[in-house]
Amino acid sequence: MPPLQPLLGSSPSNRHAPVTVCIIGTGNKGTTYTSFALQHPQLMKVVAVVSPVDFRRNILSERLELPSDRVFCDWRELASLPKIADAVLITSTDSSIEEVSIVFAQKKYHILLEEPQAIDLGRCQAVVEAAAKNSVIFSVGNTIRYKPCNRTLKKMLDSGSIGEIMSIQHIEKVGFQSIPHLNIRRRKDTSLSLVSKSIDGIDLVSWLMDSPCRKVSAFGSLFQGGNRKSENPFVYSEIYSNPIVIRESEWTPYLSGIVNVEIADAGLTMGDSCSYASPLETEVCDSHIVNMEFDEGKTCSFTMISGSSQTSRMTRIFGTLGELECDGNVIKHFDFLTRRSELIRPDINAAGEAVENDGDYGLIEEFLENIRWGRGQWGREHGFEELRSRMYALAAEQARASGSVVNIDDCRSKWFGDRMEVC
């Protein structure tokens, strides 16, 4: 893998000028990045928008007041032009991310790629290598580590507040509304639920542990649908037309019209249920437990479950000198030496107000800062971290399918050959 060179020549000529970007894909993340640009014009300026969906494209282009020659239906139209921005924010569909990323890396755009769900490690590796070869900053939108609670957890762990980490217990409650939506997408692409719903959680655990994972075992099953006698009680029409479900859903601002487009693309009707028959479709698990062993005997128990009323995460970290527990809003710290407990609220700013869009905004701010100052090593490390997280997820799927304990070193040698740098 060739080392990245300093990116000063690719950085904005004026470090006080906003970084210019093109947004490819105008769904949830595209809308979030648009809002960030409008709220922080001194940091980022959107100069072009790409989306095949008319109403999404029109809404964002109107908000940004873009001229018609900077609004595109297809990313290839943008790629055919000379370079018009410092970076591209790619939030498009899974099927095109490899080609889109490589093309824009070759055109020397810095790249922020929204959590690619393609399970083919070869495709992911091709994207990382294209970024390295063309000396551009590359980042993946795993925003969970940028949330205030998780940043605070990391600082406390690095400071030795609970001594040496012994074990981590992480629970991802993806919510009962998520699985029907995932299964619509499953009809269209090749994403496993562990990758599409929990790759950022696996990335978080690896980041907090700060040591390589060596072995994994896993168990999982599909309860809502699949080859079971009981059919999923939620059909798509009920999930996405029920005002109570929509009001409580994390996708509330984006559901109107968008889900119908995905259903139509999948060749389904609004009355289709989640009961599938083919083996390929039942590879989606809505209940997953992954056991991970890291260096020095450190362990992690990772659970993903859809049978929950809320979408939330819970992380418990057990150390030799203390214990940390985080529910995404509050951190509880217990010190074994003093026998004292402390509650910490990182999600509250200095003014006592709740921080919103913290993960997304934290990621984009760091991405822009590294472009501005030409920190190429940051992008290189993010690429390898993404490959590691995906390798762990796919090794877990292999362990689940085979009913065995999988050695990560064997997977690394099989999937990456002599590219030892990946781990």
Side-chain angles (χ1 to χ4, degrees):
M1 179 74 66
L4 288 181
Q5 301 300 317
L7 300 175
L8 297 180
S10 302
S11 303
S13 55
N14 181 359
R15 297 193 190 283
H16 298 290
V19 174
T20 55
V21 305
C22 304
I23 297 179
I24 301 178
T26 53
N28 187 335
K29 294 298 183 180
T31 302
T32 298
Y33 295 144
T34 296
S35 297
F36 176 88
L38 294 174
Q39 293 173 27
H40 303 281
Q42 77 282 7
L43 299 179
M44 186 173 86
K45 180 179 180 181
V46 181
V47 299
V49 167
V50 180
S51 175
V53 182
D54 291 342
F55 80 92
R56 291 178 179 173
R57 184 177 64 249
N58 295 336
I59 289 174
L60 261 63
S61 62
E62 289 175 5
R63 289 183 64 191
L64 294 164
E65 299 181 349
L66 295 176
S68 58
D69 62 347
R70 288 295 180 263
V71 182
F72 307 96
C73 300
D74 193 306
W75 63 268
R76 294 173 184 82
E77 299 176 59
L78 173 61
S80 67
L81 301 176
K83 185 180 177 183
I84 64 171
D86 299 310
V88 289
L89 313 181
I90 302 174
T91 67
S92 56
T93 58
D94 304 332
S95 59
S96 62
I97 54 172
E98 177 192 9
E99 183 182 4
V100 177
S101 301
I102 292 176
V103 167
F104 282 98
Q106 292 171 343
K107 293 182 72 69
K108 308 298 183 182
Y109 284 88
H110 302 301
I111 297 170
L112 175 58
L113 179 61
E114 169 57 27
E115 296 180 336
Q117 295 177 7
I119 64 173
D120 186 342
L121 276 176
R123 294 171 62 192
C124 295
Q125 185 177 356
V127 172
V128 173
E129 290 183 343
K133 180 179 179 180
N134 289 280
S135 300
V136 298
I137 287 179
F138 172 76
S139 179
V140 175
N142 291 334
T143 60
I144 183 174
R145 66 165 67 177
Y146 293 93
K147 292 182 177 294
C149 267
N150 293 326
R151 284 185 169 186
T152 302
L153 278 179
K154 181 64 172 173
K155 290 179 181 178
M156 296 180 71
L157 292 173
D158 290 345
S159 70
S161 63
I162 64 168
E164 185 179 1
I165 296 176
M166 299 170 63
S167 185
I168 294 178
Q169 180 187 64
H170 184 80
I171 302 175
E172 298 242 336
K173 297 187 287 186
V174 300
F176 71 95
Q177 306 101 322
S178 301
I179 293 301
H181 182 268
L182 172 63
N183 281 335
I184 295 175
R185 298 179 61 81
R186 188 67 180 86
R187 295 289 293 267
K188 299 192 298 176
D189 57 42
T190 56
S191 296
L192 297 172
S193 55
L194 198 60
V195 174
S196 61
K197 300 303 295 184
S198 296
I199 190 67
D200 49 357
I202 291 177
D203 174 76
L204 174 67
V205 167
S206 178
W207 180 58
L208 293 175
M209 194 68 81
D210 197 26
S211 64
C213 176
R214 297 304 181 188
K215 297 177 182 179
V216 297
S217 65
F219 307 91
S221 185
L222 175 67
F223 285 86
Q224 296 187 27
N227 298 323
R228 290 180 176 266
K229 294 181 179 180
S230 59
E231 189 178 31
N232 179 4
F234 303 106
V235 296
Y236 298 128
S237 57
E238 293 172 355
I239 285 289
Y240 294 120
S241 63
N242 186 322
I244 296 178
V245 171
I246 289 178
R247 185 167 60 249
E248 295 179 351
S249 172
E250 63 180 303
W251 304 306
T252 297
Y254 315 103
L255 280 177
S256 179
I258 295 178
V259 174
N260 289 356
V261 171
E262 292 191 345
I263 291 175
D265 288 347
L268 305 174
T269 67
M270 288 296 289
D272 282 340
S273 72
C274 298
S275 178
Y276 298 141
S278 76
L280 176 64
E281 287 155 351
T282 58
E283 286 177 7
V284 176
C285 292
D286 51 20
S287 173
H288 235 303
I289 294 179
V290 180
N291 301 308
M292 309 172 73
E293 182 181 63
F294 292 79
D295 275 353
E296 301 177 345
K298 301 175 183 179
T299 60
C300 171
S301 172
F302 182 101
T303 300
M304 185 210 80
I305 184 69
S306 69
S308 59
S309 60
Q310 296 179 332
T311 301
S312 61
R313 296 181 174 92
M314 173 67 74
T315 306
R316 294 187 178 94
I317 307 175
F318 307 95
T320 55
L321 297 178
E323 177 184 347
L324 291 169
E325 180 177 308
C326 177
D327 64 359
N329 298 308
V330 179
I331 296 174
K332 181 180 178 180
H333 174 216
F334 183 80
D335 189 308
F336 295 163
L337 299 178
T338 64
R339 306 295 200 274
R340 296 183 62 182
S341 294
E342 178 186 11
L343 295 181
I344 305 167
R345 288 295 305 266
D347 62 329
I348 301 296
N349 61 23
E353 301 170 338
V355 178
E356 297 183 359
N357 295 312
D358 44 88
D360 293 307
Y361 281 21
L363 170 64
I364 191 67
E365 286 174 357
E366 187 168 22
F367 177 67
L368 297 173
E369 186 71 10
N370 282 284
I371 291 176
R372 186 172 285 108
W373 293 100
R375 298 168 183 158
Q377 183 65 24
W378 179 81
R380 184 169 180 267
E381 291 171 354
H382 268 230
F384 284 126
E385 288 171 358
E386 176 65 17
L387 285 177
R388 280 195 293 269
S389 297
R390 280 171 188 281
M391 180 173 61
Y392 297 160
L394 295 182
E397 176 57 27
Q398 179 177 316
R400 183 193 70 83
S402 63
S404 62
V405 176
V406 171
N407 188 298
I408 294 296
D409 289 339
D410 293 342
C411 293
R412 179 193 60 199
S413 299
K414 177 181 178 181
W415 295 335
F416 296 104
D418 58 358
R419 291 180 173 85
M420 304 298 288
E421 199 170 6
V422 170
C423 284

